[in-house]
Amino acid sequence: MKILDTLGKSKKAIGGVIAIIVLVIAIFFAGVHYASGSNNDKITSTTIKNQLTEINELALYSYDYSKVGKFSNKLSFNGWKIPLTQKTFIITYDGSIKAGIDLKQAKISIDNEQLNITLPAAKILSHEIDEKSIEVYDESSNIFNQISINDYKSFATKEKKKK
């Protein structure tokens, strides 16, 4: 009787193992079928636009430069320059300009199975002056018209606007 009981238990154990294997194989094939992307094959212009605009820019060129600039200012009264009130400085600095495309302005369309992407013209994306590289030479001012930090700030702003 013990042999028959052991044999019956073995058949149940083998049946249980086979059922688990069949279940695992069924889950595997179902996962492969759904993961193959049969439901996700549709590409829309909105999908592509969202992918392009995550970064928002495509830099095509980067230009590093060194430049010398001169600032000069005199006090004036009714359009007349007042003598002995001139302040000047000469400054050197390094900068970097990046040019490229703003991808927010890209136009994307899908016609039948053809993808059309229209990119805008390239433009200046950024212009930065390295503040650590600034050196001031030949600084001259007088008692009536002192050089201030605003003079340096306005000079840097004007230089950044130059392209």
Side-chain angles (χ1 to χ4, degrees):
M1 289 293 254
K2 285 187 173 187
I3 297 176
L4 291 177
D5 287 338
T6 307
L7 186 61
K9 289 180 183 178
S10 297
K11 285 184 182 179
K12 287 182 184 179
I14 292 173
V17 168
I18 291 175
I20 291 173
I21 291 173
V22 169
L23 183 62
V24 167
I25 291 173
I27 290 172
F28 173 76
F29 282 114
V32 168
H33 174 71
Y34 287 111
S36 68
S38 60
N39 294 335
N40 298 330
D41 287 340
K42 294 183 181 179
I43 297 175
T44 65
S45 60
T46 305
T47 305
I48 295 171
K49 179 103 173 157
N50 289 340
Q51 292 297 316
L52 283 177
T53 57
E54 283 184 20
I55 297 174
N56 294 330
E57 69 182 23
L58 172 64
L60 301 173
Y61 297 102
S62 178
Y63 175 68
D64 296 324
Y65 64 90
S66 294
K67 189 169 181 183
V68 176
K70 182 178 181 182
F71 174 83
S72 180
N73 185 345
K74 263 189 179 181
L75 291 177
S76 61
F77 180 72
N78 285 335
W80 293 80
K81 302 276 184 186
I82 300 173
L84 303 173
T85 62
Q86 183 171 357
K87 60 182 174 181
T88 61
F89 61 83
I90 296 175
I91 191 170
T92 61
Y93 58 91
D94 299 330
S96 177
I97 296 175
K98 286 186 184 176
I101 298 169
D102 182 5
L103 292 177
K104 286 182 182 177
Q105 298 174 355
K107 293 186 172 73
I108 300 169
S109 63
I110 298 177
D111 297 326
N112 296 329
E113 291 189 18
Q114 185 174 4
L115 176 66
N116 299 316
I117 301 175
T118 306
L119 299 175
K123 65 179 186 175
I124 302 293
L125 297 174
S126 68
H127 182 190
E128 298 177 15
I129 293 176
D130 182 12
E131 294 177 6
K132 294 178 183 176
S133 70
I134 295 174
E135 292 187 37
V136 178
Y137 300 97
D138 193 29
E139 184 178 68
S140 66
S141 62
N142 62 56
I143 198 164
F144 300 112
N145 194 9
Q146 297 288 321
I147 294 176
S148 68
I149 195 69
N150 287 332
D151 294 329
Y152 292 114
K153 184 178 175 184
S154 66
F155 177 77
T157 303
K158 288 177 186 175
E159 290 296 306
K160 278 187 179 182
K161 289 181 182 177
K162 292 181 183 178
K163 296 182 178 169

